[in-house]
């Protein structure tokens, strides 16, 4: 299954939910989701709409992989220095 992340953050967060939702409930039933999309205005020190959608998917047992650009951003936040 595929869902684009280029419309908006809110739409992409909704898409993560649709990908993670079970087939019986009208979703894709994804067990693994990967993306390589970053938004310049994502919150840096708190969970934004995408992080909340990813957390909800993970709570359903979905494994989520981020692209390289996003990992750098999260590493910088976690260790407190720019990498």
């Amino acid at each position: 299954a595929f869902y684009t992340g280029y419309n908006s953050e809110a739409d992409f967060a909704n898409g993560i939910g649709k990908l993670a939702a079970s087939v019986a409930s009208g979703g894709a039933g994804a067990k693994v989701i990967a993306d390589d999309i970053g938004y310049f205005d994502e919150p840096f020190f708190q969970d934004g709409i995408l992080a909340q959608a990813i957390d909800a998917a993970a709570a359903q047992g979905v494994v989520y992989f981020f692209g390289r650009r996003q990992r750098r951003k999260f590493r910088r936040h976690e260790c407190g220095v720019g990498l």
Side-chain angles (χ1 to χ4, degrees):
F2 175 83
Y3 200 96
T4 186
Y6 290 110
N7 294 326
S8 70
E9 284 181 68
D11 183 60
F12 191 39
N14 185 47
I16 292 168
K18 288 180 179 180
L19 289 170
S22 69
V23 174
S25 67
K31 300 295 181 205
V32 176
I33 299 174
D35 83 66
D36 189 22
I37 297 175
Y39 297 94
F40 73 93
D41 60 347
E42 286 181 89
F44 199 78
F45 294 108
Q46 63 187 17
D47 284 349
I49 191 169
L50 289 177
Q52 293 170 18
I54 293 166
D55 286 345
Q60 296 175 33
V62 174
V63 178
Y64 201 99
F65 293 96
F66 300 100
R68 183 178 180 131
R69 288 176 294 166
Q70 292 167 313
R71 279 184 283 169
R72 246 183 292 161
K73 176 181 174 183
F74 289 120
R75 281 188 195 145
R76 184 170 49 242
H77 169 66
E78 290 170 2
C79 66
V81 297
L83 297 176

